[in-house]
Amino acid sequence: MTLLILLLVVALLLLAPVVLHPSLTLRRAGRVFAFLAIVVVPAAAGFAGLEEHVERTKTVAFCTSCHVMQRYGKSLHIDDVEHLAAQHWQYNRVPQETACFACHTNYTLYGDYKAKLRGLRHVWVQYAGTIPSKIELYSPYNNRECLHCHAGARSFLESVTHKGEMAAIQANTKSCLTKGCHGTVHDVAQVDALALWPKEEKR
Amino acid sequence: MNETTLERRLRASGGLVMLGLMIEIASLTWRHPTAFILFVVGGGAFMAAGMFWFLYTIVSRGGE
């Protein structure tokens, strides 16, 4: 981050001679300098900044910075392993810092980009649209996202329940989030009444 | 194109890129979805406009 800010500041400083003394471009060396200062260095700094921003969009802190998502963030702290999101977060089954992204990206070729585009749409709805009273996924949760990590895991393969349903789970004809299986994910309706972990956390 | 016009255009393109960079630096100090939009739409647009204006200026000057 510090290096990135430094790069952006250097890009700014390199622009100063071009803006203050554009006559320096009358010479060939000046034109090369102007090209570097106006195009090459700012473009490099811009891409570095974009990379930093994209990485930030993967963090739980980023997702929960919008009011509408705060209860979903809080649900990660529910002190009950039956709550799927809380269990994954609390037992480090997903990276804690990027838990939202780990489960809500699509593990396909352009899944990350699609997730970012959906995020842009959410910002649009936040400011220019109507936030729905109940937040829902665009499409039913695909088992592919679960199997991205769990497929091949001994705990998954040796589960008697999984063994009996393996074909349906892999074909996504039976959702992992079916009631009776892993049906409680983000219980945002009850989150305020439930015990949280760690207990000393005030959220 | 006379040199004064060229200088004015170069100053303008440099200024646009500068403004874009300043917006990008400001957006990086804020961790919020709006900061991402500010970075891409605000900073990116000014920088792209400045770069395009610079390239257009030197290309059109070469044609004269």
Side-chain angles (χ1 to χ4, degrees), chain A residues 1 8 19-20 22-23 25-26 38 42 46 49-50 53 56 62 65 120 127, chain B residues 3 7 10-11 18 21 25 27-28 30 32-34 36-37 39 47 51 54:
Chain A
M1 177 65 183
L8 285 159
V19 173
L20 297 174
S23 56
T25 57
L26 295 177
I38 294 178
L50 184 64
H53 266 295
R56 283 183 188 183
F62 180 88
S65 66
L120 290 176
Y127 288 113
Chain B
E3 293 303 330
E7 287 175 20
L10 285 175
R11 183 172 280 135
M18 260 186 159
L21 283 169
I25 290 172
S27 79
L28 282 163
W30 186 25
H32 193 270
T34 314
F36 181 73
I37 303 294
F39 180 91
M47 278 179 57
M51 290 173 189
F54 169 76

PDB file of all heavy atoms in Angstrom, chain A residues 1 8 19-20 22-23 25-26 38 42 46 49-50 53 56 62 65 120 127, chain B residues 3 7 10-11 18 21 25 27-28 30 32-34 36-37 39 47 51 54:
ATOM      1  N   MET A   1       0.836  -1.216   0.000  1.00  0.00           N
ATOM      2  CA  MET A   1       0.000   0.000   0.000  1.00  0.00           C
ATOM      3  C   MET A   1       0.865   1.259   0.000  1.00  0.00           C
ATOM      4  O   MET A   1       0.639   2.174  -0.775  1.00  0.00           O
ATOM      5  CB  MET A   1      -0.934  -0.044   1.227  1.00  0.00           C
ATOM      6  CG  MET A   1      -1.804   1.193   1.384  1.00  0.00           C
ATOM      7  SD  MET A   1      -2.980   1.383   0.049  1.00  0.00           S
ATOM      8  CE  MET A   1      -3.730   2.920   0.503  1.00  0.00           C
ATOM      9  N   LEU A   8       2.100   6.380  -7.018  1.00  0.00           N
ATOM     10  CA  LEU A   8       1.137   7.384  -7.485  1.00  0.00           C
ATOM     11  C   LEU A   8       1.686   8.803  -7.284  1.00  0.00           C
ATOM     12  O   LEU A   8       1.503   9.676  -8.142  1.00  0.00           O
ATOM     13  CB  LEU A   8      -0.198   7.208  -6.742  1.00  0.00           C
ATOM     14  CG  LEU A   8      -1.035   6.007  -7.194  1.00  0.00           C
ATOM     15  CD1 LEU A   8      -2.044   5.603  -6.133  1.00  0.00           C
ATOM     16  CD2 LEU A   8      -1.749   6.302  -8.506  1.00  0.00           C
ATOM     17  N   VAL A  19       3.308  19.908 -17.032  1.00  0.00           N
ATOM     18  CA  VAL A  19       2.215  20.871 -16.847  1.00  0.00           C
ATOM     19  C   VAL A  19       2.775  22.284 -16.702  1.00  0.00           C
ATOM     20  O   VAL A  19       2.229  23.241 -17.264  1.00  0.00           O
ATOM     21  CB  VAL A  19       1.367  20.477 -15.612  1.00  0.00           C
ATOM     22  CG1 VAL A  19       0.337  21.547 -15.295  1.00  0.00           C
ATOM     23  CG2 VAL A  19       0.681  19.140 -15.860  1.00  0.00           C
ATOM     24  N   LEU A  20       3.872  22.401 -15.970  1.00  0.00           N
ATOM     25  CA  LEU A  20       4.424  23.749 -15.712  1.00  0.00           C
ATOM     26  C   LEU A  20       5.229  24.283 -16.898  1.00  0.00           C
ATOM     27  O   LEU A  20       5.210  25.477 -17.169  1.00  0.00           O
ATOM     28  CB  LEU A  20       5.305  23.716 -14.454  1.00  0.00           C
ATOM     29  CG  LEU A  20       4.573  23.361 -13.154  1.00  0.00           C
ATOM     30  CD1 LEU A  20       5.554  23.198 -12.001  1.00  0.00           C
ATOM     31  CD2 LEU A  20       3.520  24.404 -12.814  1.00  0.00           C
ATOM     32  N   PRO A  22       5.394  23.002 -20.546  1.00  0.00           N
ATOM     33  CA  PRO A  22       5.116  22.115 -21.692  1.00  0.00           C
ATOM     34  C   PRO A  22       6.076  22.338 -22.857  1.00  0.00           C
ATOM     35  O   PRO A  22       6.209  21.474 -23.721  1.00  0.00           O
ATOM     36  CB  PRO A  22       3.675  22.458 -22.070  1.00  0.00           C
ATOM     37  CG  PRO A  22       3.387  23.759 -21.442  1.00  0.00           C
ATOM     38  CD  PRO A  22       4.255  23.887 -20.238  1.00  0.00           C
ATOM     39  N   SER A  23       6.790  23.473 -22.829  1.00  0.00           N
ATOM     40  CA  SER A  23       7.728  23.753 -23.930  1.00  0.00           C
ATOM     41  C   SER A  23       8.887  22.750 -23.966  1.00  0.00           C
ATOM     42  O   SER A  23       9.576  22.652 -24.981  1.00  0.00           O
ATOM     43  CB  SER A  23       8.277  25.180 -23.800  1.00  0.00           C
ATOM     44  OG  SER A  23       8.868  25.340 -22.533  1.00  0.00           O
ATOM     45  N   THR A  25       8.694  19.814 -24.408  1.00  0.00           N
ATOM     46  CA  THR A  25       8.412  18.778 -25.404  1.00  0.00           C
ATOM     47  C   THR A  25       8.857  19.199 -26.807  1.00  0.00           C
ATOM     48  O   THR A  25       8.685  18.450 -27.766  1.00  0.00           O
ATOM     49  CB  THR A  25       6.910  18.452 -25.445  1.00  0.00           C
ATOM     50  OG1 THR A  25       6.195  19.653 -25.708  1.00  0.00           O
ATOM     51  CG2 THR A  25       6.435  17.837 -24.154  1.00  0.00           C
ATOM     52  N   LEU A  26       9.416  20.398 -26.918  1.00  0.00           N
ATOM     53  CA  LEU A  26       9.902  20.825 -28.230  1.00  0.00           C
ATOM     54  C   LEU A  26      11.111  19.986 -28.643  1.00  0.00           C
ATOM     55  O   LEU A  26      11.404  19.831 -29.819  1.00  0.00           O
ATOM     56  CB  LEU A  26      10.262  22.315 -28.205  1.00  0.00           C
ATOM     57  CG  LEU A  26       9.067  23.260 -27.961  1.00  0.00           C
ATOM     58  CD1 LEU A  26       9.526  24.704 -27.872  1.00  0.00           C
ATOM     59  CD2 LEU A  26       8.038  23.092 -29.072  1.00  0.00           C
ATOM     60  N   ILE A  38       3.007  11.166 -18.969  1.00  0.00           N
ATOM     61  CA  ILE A  38       1.551  11.281 -19.164  1.00  0.00           C
ATOM     62  C   ILE A  38       0.893   9.933 -19.415  1.00  0.00           C
ATOM     63  O   ILE A  38      -0.249   9.713 -19.017  1.00  0.00           O
ATOM     64  CB  ILE A  38       1.226  12.268 -20.324  1.00  0.00           C
ATOM     65  CG1 ILE A  38       1.662  13.679 -19.933  1.00  0.00           C
ATOM     66  CG2 ILE A  38      -0.248  12.263 -20.680  1.00  0.00           C
ATOM     67  CD1 ILE A  38       1.436  14.733 -20.998  1.00  0.00           C
ATOM     68  N   PRO A  42       1.647   6.882 -15.314  1.00  0.00           N
ATOM     69  CA  PRO A  42       0.284   6.895 -14.744  1.00  0.00           C
ATOM     70  C   PRO A  42      -0.490   5.615 -15.032  1.00  0.00           C
ATOM     71  O   PRO A  42      -1.251   5.140 -14.192  1.00  0.00           O
ATOM     72  CB  PRO A  42      -0.388   8.097 -15.416  1.00  0.00           C
ATOM     73  CG  PRO A  42       0.726   8.972 -15.807  1.00  0.00           C
ATOM     74  CD  PRO A  42       1.847   8.059 -16.184  1.00  0.00           C
ATOM     75  N   GLY A  46      -1.939   3.378 -12.251  1.00  0.00           N
ATOM     76  CA  GLY A  46      -3.385   3.125 -12.272  1.00  0.00           C
ATOM     77  C   GLY A  46      -3.698   1.638 -12.164  1.00  0.00           C
ATOM     78  O   GLY A  46      -4.579   1.233 -11.398  1.00  0.00           O
ATOM     79  N   GLY A  49      -3.051   0.487  -8.685  1.00  0.00           N
ATOM     80  CA  GLY A  49      -4.145   0.931  -7.811  1.00  0.00           C
ATOM     81  C   GLY A  49      -5.383   0.083  -7.993  1.00  0.00           C
ATOM     82  O   GLY A  49      -6.063  -0.272  -7.021  1.00  0.00           O
ATOM     83  N   LEU A  50      -5.670  -0.271  -9.242  1.00  0.00           N
ATOM     84  CA  LEU A  50      -6.843  -1.113  -9.525  1.00  0.00           C
ATOM     85  C   LEU A  50      -6.693  -2.475  -8.861  1.00  0.00           C
ATOM     86  O   LEU A  50      -7.641  -3.005  -8.273  1.00  0.00           O
ATOM     87  CB  LEU A  50      -7.005  -1.267 -11.048  1.00  0.00           C
ATOM     88  CG  LEU A  50      -8.227  -2.040 -11.513  1.00  0.00           C
ATOM     89  CD1 LEU A  50      -9.510  -1.310 -11.130  1.00  0.00           C
ATOM     90  CD2 LEU A  50      -8.191  -2.260 -13.018  1.00  0.00           C
ATOM     91  N   HIS A  53      -7.425  -2.128  -5.224  1.00  0.00           N
ATOM     92  CA  HIS A  53      -8.867  -1.999  -4.986  1.00  0.00           C
ATOM     93  C   HIS A  53      -9.587  -3.337  -5.162  1.00  0.00           C
ATOM     94  O   HIS A  53     -10.470  -3.685  -4.384  1.00  0.00           O
ATOM     95  CB  HIS A  53      -9.477  -0.974  -5.943  1.00  0.00           C
ATOM     96  CG  HIS A  53      -9.556   0.404  -5.358  1.00  0.00           C
ATOM     97  ND1 HIS A  53     -10.345   0.701  -4.271  1.00  0.00           N
ATOM     98  CD2 HIS A  53      -8.962   1.559  -5.700  1.00  0.00           C
ATOM     99  CE1 HIS A  53     -10.227   1.981  -3.974  1.00  0.00           C
ATOM    100  NE2 HIS A  53      -9.382   2.526  -4.827  1.00  0.00           N
ATOM    101  N   ARG A  56      -9.097  -5.483  -2.234  1.00  0.00           N
ATOM    102  CA  ARG A  56      -9.907  -5.012  -1.112  1.00  0.00           C
ATOM    103  C   ARG A  56     -11.351  -5.462  -1.221  1.00  0.00           C
ATOM    104  O   ARG A  56     -12.016  -5.690  -0.219  1.00  0.00           O
ATOM    105  CB  ARG A  56      -9.891  -3.481  -1.057  1.00  0.00           C
ATOM    106  CG  ARG A  56      -8.639  -2.915  -0.498  1.00  0.00           C
ATOM    107  CD  ARG A  56      -8.788  -1.422  -0.431  1.00  0.00           C
ATOM    108  NE  ARG A  56      -7.555  -0.771  -0.082  1.00  0.00           N
ATOM    109  CZ  ARG A  56      -7.443   0.530   0.087  1.00  0.00           C
ATOM    110  NH1 ARG A  56      -8.493   1.302  -0.084  1.00  0.00           N
ATOM    111  NH2 ARG A  56      -6.298   1.058   0.411  1.00  0.00           N
ATOM    112  N   PHE A  62     -14.864  -5.030   3.599  1.00  0.00           N
ATOM    113  CA  PHE A  62     -15.379  -4.296   2.445  1.00  0.00           C
ATOM    114  C   PHE A  62     -16.875  -4.587   2.266  1.00  0.00           C
ATOM    115  O   PHE A  62     -17.683  -3.671   2.119  1.00  0.00           O
ATOM    116  CB  PHE A  62     -14.593  -4.705   1.196  1.00  0.00           C
ATOM    117  CG  PHE A  62     -15.035  -4.018  -0.070  1.00  0.00           C
ATOM    118  CD1 PHE A  62     -14.500  -2.807  -0.437  1.00  0.00           C
ATOM    119  CD2 PHE A  62     -15.987  -4.605  -0.895  1.00  0.00           C
ATOM    120  CE1 PHE A  62     -14.896  -2.176  -1.606  1.00  0.00           C
ATOM    121  CE2 PHE A  62     -16.394  -3.981  -2.057  1.00  0.00           C
ATOM    122  CZ  PHE A  62     -15.843  -2.772  -2.417  1.00  0.00           C
ATOM    123  N   SER A  65     -19.105  -3.062   4.848  1.00  0.00           N
ATOM    124  CA  SER A  65     -19.081  -1.602   4.974  1.00  0.00           C
ATOM    125  C   SER A  65     -20.395  -0.994   4.496  1.00  0.00           C
ATOM    126  O   SER A  65     -20.672   0.168   4.764  1.00  0.00           O
ATOM    127  CB  SER A  65     -17.888  -0.996   4.209  1.00  0.00           C
ATOM    128  OG  SER A  65     -18.046  -1.200   2.824  1.00  0.00           O
ATOM    129  N   LEU A 120     -20.738  -4.207  -8.655  1.00  0.00           N
ATOM    130  CA  LEU A 120     -20.993  -2.872  -9.201  1.00  0.00           C
ATOM    131  C   LEU A 120     -22.499  -2.612  -9.266  1.00  0.00           C
ATOM    132  O   LEU A 120     -22.970  -1.508  -8.988  1.00  0.00           O
ATOM    133  CB  LEU A 120     -20.376  -2.737 -10.603  1.00  0.00           C
ATOM    134  CG  LEU A 120     -18.847  -2.688 -10.663  1.00  0.00           C
ATOM    135  CD1 LEU A 120     -18.378  -2.653 -12.108  1.00  0.00           C
ATOM    136  CD2 LEU A 120     -18.310  -1.468  -9.926  1.00  0.00           C
ATOM    137  N   TYR A 127     -27.385   3.210  -4.321  1.00  0.00           N
ATOM    138  CA  TYR A 127     -27.547   4.663  -4.462  1.00  0.00           C
ATOM    139  C   TYR A 127     -28.722   5.070  -5.341  1.00  0.00           C
ATOM    140  O   TYR A 127     -29.344   6.095  -5.092  1.00  0.00           O
ATOM    141  CB  TYR A 127     -26.259   5.283  -5.034  1.00  0.00           C
ATOM    142  CG  TYR A 127     -25.142   5.292  -4.039  1.00  0.00           C
ATOM    143  CD1 TYR A 127     -24.011   4.516  -4.224  1.00  0.00           C
ATOM    144  CD2 TYR A 127     -25.226   6.055  -2.878  1.00  0.00           C
ATOM    145  CE1 TYR A 127     -22.987   4.510  -3.296  1.00  0.00           C
ATOM    146  CE2 TYR A 127     -24.211   6.054  -1.946  1.00  0.00           C
ATOM    147  CZ  TYR A 127     -23.101   5.282  -2.156  1.00  0.00           C
ATOM    148  OH  TYR A 127     -22.096   5.270  -1.234  1.00  0.00           O
TER     149      TYR A 127
ATOM    150  N   GLU B   3       2.933  26.372 -31.678  1.00  0.00           N
ATOM    151  CA  GLU B   3       3.488  25.806 -30.451  1.00  0.00           C
ATOM    152  C   GLU B   3       2.665  26.183 -29.234  1.00  0.00           C
ATOM    153  O   GLU B   3       2.577  25.436 -28.275  1.00  0.00           O
ATOM    154  CB  GLU B   3       4.946  26.258 -30.283  1.00  0.00           C
ATOM    155  CG  GLU B   3       5.885  25.702 -31.335  1.00  0.00           C
ATOM    156  CD  GLU B   3       5.900  24.192 -31.419  1.00  0.00           C
ATOM    157  OE1 GLU B   3       5.663  23.520 -30.398  1.00  0.00           O
ATOM    158  OE2 GLU B   3       6.129  23.663 -32.514  1.00  0.00           O
ATOM    159  N   GLU B   7       1.385  23.579 -26.582  1.00  0.00           N
ATOM    160  CA  GLU B   7       1.708  23.677 -25.155  1.00  0.00           C
ATOM    161  C   GLU B   7       0.434  23.670 -24.310  1.00  0.00           C
ATOM    162  O   GLU B   7       0.378  23.031 -23.260  1.00  0.00           O
ATOM    163  CB  GLU B   7       2.524  24.949 -24.888  1.00  0.00           C
ATOM    164  CG  GLU B   7       3.953  24.844 -25.398  1.00  0.00           C
ATOM    165  CD  GLU B   7       4.718  26.146 -25.251  1.00  0.00           C
ATOM    166  OE1 GLU B   7       4.300  27.001 -24.433  1.00  0.00           O
ATOM    167  OE2 GLU B   7       5.730  26.306 -25.957  1.00  0.00           O
ATOM    168  N   LEU B  10      -0.877  20.156 -24.199  1.00  0.00           N
ATOM    169  CA  LEU B  10      -0.057  19.290 -23.343  1.00  0.00           C
ATOM    170  C   LEU B  10      -0.316  19.585 -21.872  1.00  0.00           C
ATOM    171  O   LEU B  10      -0.400  18.685 -21.038  1.00  0.00           O
ATOM    172  CB  LEU B  10       1.431  19.483 -23.655  1.00  0.00           C
ATOM    173  CG  LEU B  10       1.923  18.832 -24.947  1.00  0.00           C
ATOM    174  CD1 LEU B  10       3.372  19.201 -25.221  1.00  0.00           C
ATOM    175  CD2 LEU B  10       1.794  17.311 -24.859  1.00  0.00           C
ATOM    176  N   ARG B  11      -0.460  20.889 -21.579  1.00  0.00           N
ATOM    177  CA  ARG B  11      -0.738  21.272 -20.197  1.00  0.00           C
ATOM    178  C   ARG B  11      -2.086  20.697 -19.761  1.00  0.00           C
ATOM    179  O   ARG B  11      -2.233  20.182 -18.657  1.00  0.00           O
ATOM    180  CB  ARG B  11      -0.743  22.795 -20.075  1.00  0.00           C
ATOM    181  CG  ARG B  11      -0.944  23.279 -18.647  1.00  0.00           C
ATOM    182  CD  ARG B  11      -0.740  24.774 -18.534  1.00  0.00           C
ATOM    183  NE  ARG B  11       0.676  25.111 -18.482  1.00  0.00           N
ATOM    184  CZ  ARG B  11       1.249  26.086 -19.181  1.00  0.00           C
ATOM    185  NH1 ARG B  11       0.536  26.802 -20.023  1.00  0.00           N
ATOM    186  NH2 ARG B  11       2.526  26.339 -19.039  1.00  0.00           N
ATOM    187  N   MET B  18      -3.138  14.382 -13.961  1.00  0.00           N
ATOM    188  CA  MET B  18      -2.851  14.740 -12.557  1.00  0.00           C
ATOM    189  C   MET B  18      -4.110  14.643 -11.703  1.00  0.00           C
ATOM    190  O   MET B  18      -4.096  14.075 -10.614  1.00  0.00           O
ATOM    191  CB  MET B  18      -2.331  16.180 -12.488  1.00  0.00           C
ATOM    192  CG  MET B  18      -0.848  16.305 -12.376  1.00  0.00           C
ATOM    193  SD  MET B  18      -0.436  18.036 -12.120  1.00  0.00           S
ATOM    194  CE  MET B  18       1.169  17.834 -11.409  1.00  0.00           C
ATOM    195  N   LEU B  21      -4.983  11.085 -11.098  1.00  0.00           N
ATOM    196  CA  LEU B  21      -4.106  10.465 -10.090  1.00  0.00           C
ATOM    197  C   LEU B  21      -4.491  10.914  -8.683  1.00  0.00           C
ATOM    198  O   LEU B  21      -4.482  10.109  -7.743  1.00  0.00           O
ATOM    199  CB  LEU B  21      -2.643  10.826 -10.377  1.00  0.00           C
ATOM    200  CG  LEU B  21      -1.977  10.057 -11.522  1.00  0.00           C
ATOM    201  CD1 LEU B  21      -0.633  10.694 -11.874  1.00  0.00           C
ATOM    202  CD2 LEU B  21      -1.758   8.594 -11.161  1.00  0.00           C
ATOM    203  N   ILE B  25      -5.544   8.518  -5.637  1.00  0.00           N
ATOM    204  CA  ILE B  25      -4.886   8.509  -4.315  1.00  0.00           C
ATOM    205  C   ILE B  25      -5.942   8.687  -3.223  1.00  0.00           C
ATOM    206  O   ILE B  25      -5.950   7.967  -2.219  1.00  0.00           O
ATOM    207  CB  ILE B  25      -3.803   9.615  -4.231  1.00  0.00           C
ATOM    208  CG1 ILE B  25      -2.615   9.264  -5.133  1.00  0.00           C
ATOM    209  CG2 ILE B  25      -3.318   9.804  -2.785  1.00  0.00           C
ATOM    210  CD1 ILE B  25      -1.586  10.356  -5.281  1.00  0.00           C
ATOM    211  N   SER B  27      -9.085   7.938  -3.338  1.00  0.00           N
ATOM    212  CA  SER B  27      -9.953   6.747  -3.238  1.00  0.00           C
ATOM    213  C   SER B  27      -9.261   5.621  -2.473  1.00  0.00           C
ATOM    214  O   SER B  27      -9.913   4.819  -1.821  1.00  0.00           O
ATOM    215  CB  SER B  27     -10.364   6.269  -4.637  1.00  0.00           C
ATOM    216  OG  SER B  27      -9.328   5.540  -5.244  1.00  0.00           O
ATOM    217  N   LEU B  28      -7.936   5.573  -2.543  1.00  0.00           N
ATOM    218  CA  LEU B  28      -7.205   4.500  -1.860  1.00  0.00           C
ATOM    219  C   LEU B  28      -7.141   4.696  -0.346  1.00  0.00           C
ATOM    220  O   LEU B  28      -6.775   3.792   0.387  1.00  0.00           O
ATOM    221  CB  LEU B  28      -5.789   4.385  -2.440  1.00  0.00           C
ATOM    222  CG  LEU B  28      -5.719   3.659  -3.784  1.00  0.00           C
ATOM    223  CD1 LEU B  28      -4.406   3.946  -4.490  1.00  0.00           C
ATOM    224  CD2 LEU B  28      -5.894   2.155  -3.608  1.00  0.00           C
ATOM    225  N   TRP B  30      -9.759   5.228   1.375  1.00  0.00           N
ATOM    226  CA  TRP B  30     -11.111   4.942   1.855  1.00  0.00           C
ATOM    227  C   TRP B  30     -11.458   3.503   1.477  1.00  0.00           C
ATOM    228  O   TRP B  30     -11.366   3.140   0.301  1.00  0.00           O
ATOM    229  CB  TRP B  30     -12.066   5.947   1.186  1.00  0.00           C
ATOM    230  CG  TRP B  30     -13.476   5.924   1.626  1.00  0.00           C
ATOM    231  CD1 TRP B  30     -13.970   5.489   2.821  1.00  0.00           C
ATOM    232  CD2 TRP B  30     -14.606   6.345   0.856  1.00  0.00           C
ATOM    233  NE1 TRP B  30     -15.328   5.642   2.843  1.00  0.00           N
ATOM    234  CE2 TRP B  30     -15.753   6.154   1.664  1.00  0.00           C
ATOM    235  CE3 TRP B  30     -14.766   6.888  -0.422  1.00  0.00           C
ATOM    236  CZ2 TRP B  30     -17.026   6.469   1.224  1.00  0.00           C
ATOM    237  CZ3 TRP B  30     -16.031   7.201  -0.858  1.00  0.00           C
ATOM    238  CH2 TRP B  30     -17.142   7.009  -0.042  1.00  0.00           C
ATOM    239  N   HIS B  32     -14.271   1.363   0.922  1.00  0.00           N
ATOM    240  CA  HIS B  32     -15.725   1.330   0.751  1.00  0.00           C
ATOM    241  C   HIS B  32     -16.021   1.076  -0.730  1.00  0.00           C
ATOM    242  O   HIS B  32     -15.231   1.475  -1.584  1.00  0.00           O
ATOM    243  CB  HIS B  32     -16.318   2.680   1.188  1.00  0.00           C
ATOM    244  CG  HIS B  32     -17.795   2.657   1.353  1.00  0.00           C
ATOM    245  ND1 HIS B  32     -18.660   2.942   0.325  1.00  0.00           N
ATOM    246  CD2 HIS B  32     -18.564   2.366   2.431  1.00  0.00           C
ATOM    247  CE1 HIS B  32     -19.901   2.821   0.764  1.00  0.00           C
ATOM    248  NE2 HIS B  32     -19.875   2.481   2.032  1.00  0.00           N
ATOM    249  N   PRO B  33     -17.140   0.415  -1.044  1.00  0.00           N
ATOM    250  CA  PRO B  33     -17.475   0.194  -2.452  1.00  0.00           C
ATOM    251  C   PRO B  33     -17.502   1.478  -3.277  1.00  0.00           C
ATOM    252  O   PRO B  33     -17.111   1.489  -4.441  1.00  0.00           O
ATOM    253  CB  PRO B  33     -18.866  -0.436  -2.382  1.00  0.00           C
ATOM    254  CG  PRO B  33     -18.878  -1.149  -1.075  1.00  0.00           C
ATOM    255  CD  PRO B  33     -18.075  -0.295  -0.144  1.00  0.00           C
ATOM    256  N   THR B  34     -17.920   2.569  -2.650  1.00  0.00           N
ATOM    257  CA  THR B  34     -17.966   3.837  -3.391  1.00  0.00           C
ATOM    258  C   THR B  34     -16.554   4.276  -3.787  1.00  0.00           C
ATOM    259  O   THR B  34     -16.367   4.908  -4.830  1.00  0.00           O
ATOM    260  CB  THR B  34     -18.640   4.921  -2.539  1.00  0.00           C
ATOM    261  OG1 THR B  34     -19.818   4.367  -1.968  1.00  0.00           O
ATOM    262  CG2 THR B  34     -19.015   6.132  -3.381  1.00  0.00           C
ATOM    263  N   PHE B  36     -14.178   2.349  -4.709  1.00  0.00           N
ATOM    264  CA  PHE B  36     -13.834   1.579  -5.908  1.00  0.00           C
ATOM    265  C   PHE B  36     -14.435   2.254  -7.152  1.00  0.00           C
ATOM    266  O   PHE B  36     -13.772   2.408  -8.179  1.00  0.00           O
ATOM    267  CB  PHE B  36     -14.353   0.150  -5.760  1.00  0.00           C
ATOM    268  CG  PHE B  36     -14.027  -0.751  -6.922  1.00  0.00           C
ATOM    269  CD1 PHE B  36     -12.744  -1.211  -7.115  1.00  0.00           C
ATOM    270  CD2 PHE B  36     -15.011  -1.136  -7.813  1.00  0.00           C
ATOM    271  CE1 PHE B  36     -12.434  -2.036  -8.184  1.00  0.00           C
ATOM    272  CE2 PHE B  36     -14.717  -1.960  -8.885  1.00  0.00           C
ATOM    273  CZ  PHE B  36     -13.423  -2.409  -9.072  1.00  0.00           C
ATOM    274  N   ILE B  37     -15.690   2.664  -7.015  1.00  0.00           N
ATOM    275  CA  ILE B  37     -16.357   3.348  -8.134  1.00  0.00           C
ATOM    276  C   ILE B  37     -15.648   4.668  -8.439  1.00  0.00           C
ATOM    277  O   ILE B  37     -15.409   5.009  -9.601  1.00  0.00           O
ATOM    278  CB  ILE B  37     -17.850   3.628  -7.789  1.00  0.00           C
ATOM    279  CG1 ILE B  37     -18.581   2.328  -7.440  1.00  0.00           C
ATOM    280  CG2 ILE B  37     -18.551   4.373  -8.923  1.00  0.00           C
ATOM    281  CD1 ILE B  37     -18.733   1.359  -8.569  1.00  0.00           C
ATOM    282  N   PHE B  39     -12.574   5.383  -7.903  1.00  0.00           N
ATOM    283  CA  PHE B  39     -11.291   5.070  -8.528  1.00  0.00           C
ATOM    284  C   PHE B  39     -11.470   4.800 -10.023  1.00  0.00           C
ATOM    285  O   PHE B  39     -10.777   5.376 -10.858  1.00  0.00           O
ATOM    286  CB  PHE B  39     -10.677   3.842  -7.846  1.00  0.00           C
ATOM    287  CG  PHE B  39      -9.352   3.427  -8.425  1.00  0.00           C
ATOM    288  CD1 PHE B  39      -8.172   3.937  -7.911  1.00  0.00           C
ATOM    289  CD2 PHE B  39      -9.283   2.539  -9.489  1.00  0.00           C
ATOM    290  CE1 PHE B  39      -6.948   3.563  -8.443  1.00  0.00           C
ATOM    291  CE2 PHE B  39      -8.060   2.169 -10.024  1.00  0.00           C
ATOM    292  CZ  PHE B  39      -6.897   2.675  -9.503  1.00  0.00           C
ATOM    293  N   MET B  47      -7.885  10.118 -16.167  1.00  0.00           N
ATOM    294  CA  MET B  47      -6.593   9.660 -16.683  1.00  0.00           C
ATOM    295  C   MET B  47      -6.691   9.249 -18.140  1.00  0.00           C
ATOM    296  O   MET B  47      -5.843   9.610 -18.956  1.00  0.00           O
ATOM    297  CB  MET B  47      -6.073   8.498 -15.836  1.00  0.00           C
ATOM    298  CG  MET B  47      -5.390   8.992 -14.579  1.00  0.00           C
ATOM    299  SD  MET B  47      -4.771   7.685 -13.533  1.00  0.00           S
ATOM    300  CE  MET B  47      -3.704   6.796 -14.615  1.00  0.00           C
ATOM    301  N   MET B  51      -4.683  10.991 -21.229  1.00  0.00           N
ATOM    302  CA  MET B  51      -3.793  10.209 -22.097  1.00  0.00           C
ATOM    303  C   MET B  51      -4.250  10.297 -23.554  1.00  0.00           C
ATOM    304  O   MET B  51      -3.436  10.472 -24.468  1.00  0.00           O
ATOM    305  CB  MET B  51      -3.785   8.741 -21.651  1.00  0.00           C
ATOM    306  CG  MET B  51      -3.083   8.516 -20.335  1.00  0.00           C
ATOM    307  SD  MET B  51      -3.312   6.810 -19.811  1.00  0.00           S
ATOM    308  CE  MET B  51      -2.644   6.869 -18.169  1.00  0.00           C
ATOM    309  N   PHE B  54      -3.419  13.691 -24.971  1.00  0.00           N
ATOM    310  CA  PHE B  54      -1.983  13.796 -25.250  1.00  0.00           C
ATOM    311  C   PHE B  54      -1.639  13.075 -26.554  1.00  0.00           C
ATOM    312  O   PHE B  54      -0.971  13.629 -27.432  1.00  0.00           O
ATOM    313  CB  PHE B  54      -1.191  13.193 -24.081  1.00  0.00           C
ATOM    314  CG  PHE B  54       0.274  13.019 -24.378  1.00  0.00           C
ATOM    315  CD1 PHE B  54       1.142  14.106 -24.372  1.00  0.00           C
ATOM    316  CD2 PHE B  54       0.799  11.756 -24.662  1.00  0.00           C
ATOM    317  CE1 PHE B  54       2.485  13.936 -24.641  1.00  0.00           C
ATOM    318  CE2 PHE B  54       2.149  11.596 -24.935  1.00  0.00           C
ATOM    319  CZ  PHE B  54       2.998  12.678 -24.924  1.00  0.00           C
TER     320      PHE B  54
END
